[in-house]
Amino acid sequence: GAGVSQSPSNKVTEKGKDVELRCDPISGHTALYWYRQSLGQGLEFLIYFQGNSAPDKSGLPSDRFSAERTGGSVSTLTIQRTQQEDSAVYLCASSLPDGMAATQYFGPGTRLLVL
Amino acid sequence: AQSVTQLDSHVSVSEGTPVLLRCNYSSSYSPSLFWYVQHPNKGLQLLLKYTSAATLVKGINGFEAEFKKSETSFHLTKPSAHMSDAAEYFCVVRTNAGGTSYGKLTFGQGTILTVHP
């Protein structure tokens, strides 16, 4: 079936504006993850969803970042009052009901540029 | 706590020669280990994974990796490089920490592989 999809693929915004990034996981994947890939920090974990709840939000860098998931499917990552340091590629991954062997499948990412 | 160190930020090989990308990990519990590849402007693709079964793991495109607990290593190898192997490779660790079964991934800094004709 279809893989993980993310939209938009690219987003350019002005400092101070809010942005929403969307992730559509693979059908049936109850676990969903957001990561961020930036030049200075590499790939870092942001948040994990199991169903609609987020047991681990420890990677969110500040209270300007939030995420939700509805219907156990689509997830939205929102960044409020964007800053230039938020510029990065935001990656979403999903996996089957979780366990150590579960493979995370990644989407193509949303490239965010804050001017 | 868990961490991953990829020992080389760049590796350059000639087409047809062996590839070795080195990775060391640190984990308080039994880890699962992965190698992902990222081609330019493409998403991350799983190459192979180790989850406490056989220590020698075979992946896609002729890649394999060996889990060595005594050395805390999980190096990626391929006998003969192809031009299409040029990409960035990430070593990744996932730990089942004290009953927590979900799998937050911790990524290494990446190794860029260049393949010369």
Side-chain angles (χ1 to χ4, degrees):
Chain A
V4 178
S5 60
Q6 293 185 246
S7 60
S9 54
N10 291 279
K11 176 72 176 178
V12 181
T13 190
E14 294 179 348
K15 178 181 172 181
K17 295 287 177 78
D18 298 352
V19 296
E20 284 190 353
L21 312 180
R22 177 187 167 107
C23 172
D24 280 275
I26 294 171
S27 177
H29 282 195
T30 58
L32 186 147
Y33 302 79
W34 284 97
Y35 296 87
R36 179 169 72 172
Q37 186 174 25
S38 55
L39 278 176
Q41 302 298 322
L43 265 153
E44 42 181 1
F45 165 83
L46 297 178
I47 187 170
Y48 157 66
F49 285 93
Q50 180 57 45
N52 291 336
S53 64
D56 188 350
K57 307 177 184 179
S58 63
L60 294 178
S62 75
D63 59 8
R64 295 186 295 105
F65 287 72
S66 63
E68 65 174 12
R69 190 177 184 196
T70 55
S73 181
V74 172
S75 176
T76 303
L77 177 69
T78 301
I79 309 173
Q80 295 178 308
R81 305 181 302 281
T82 52
Q83 304 293 313
Q84 288 180 332
E85 61 262 28
D86 299 335
S87 297
V89 178
Y90 290 82
L91 295 168
C92 175
S94 71
S95 74
L96 286 169
D98 215 50
M100 288 298 288
T103 296
Q104 292 184 25
Y105 295 89
F106 284 81
T110 292
R111 189 175 300 273
L112 175 65
L113 177 61
V114 182
L115 301 176
Chain B
Q2 59 197 34
S3 65
V4 178
T5 302
Q6 291 183 242
L7 299 169
D8 306 291
S9 58
H10 290 82
V11 170
S12 181
V13 301
S14 298
E15 190 175 21
T17 64
V19 175
L20 170 63
L21 305 183
R22 298 181 296 166
C23 172
N24 285 99
Y25 70 92
S26 172
S27 175
S28 302
Y29 299 88
S30 297
S32 290
L33 294 157
F34 306 79
W35 278 97
Y36 280 85
V37 60
Q38 188 175 38
H39 288 90
N41 299 315
K42 296 286 181 64
L44 287 159
Q45 181 184 19
L46 179 70
L47 274 179
L48 49 81
K49 65 181 180 182
Y50 164 78
T51 55
S52 77
T55 56
L56 182 62
V57 182
K58 294 187 183 299
I60 61 171
N61 301 334
F63 284 94
E64 62 182 38
E66 186 171 8
F67 173 71
K68 292 187 177 179
K69 185 175 181 179
S70 61
E71 299 177 8
T72 61
S73 70
F74 191 58
H75 302 332
L76 182 71
T77 60
K78 182 173 181 178
S80 176
H82 192 273
M83 296 295 290
S84 61
D85 295 328
E88 188 165 16
Y89 292 78
F90 293 92
C91 183
V92 182
V93 66
R94 175 182 185 175
T95 301
N96 182 4
T100 301
S101 64
Y102 87 89
K104 176 172 78 175
L105 301 181
T106 300
F107 285 79
Q109 290 299 306
T111 298
I112 296 172
L113 176 65
T114 302
V115 182
H116 298 287

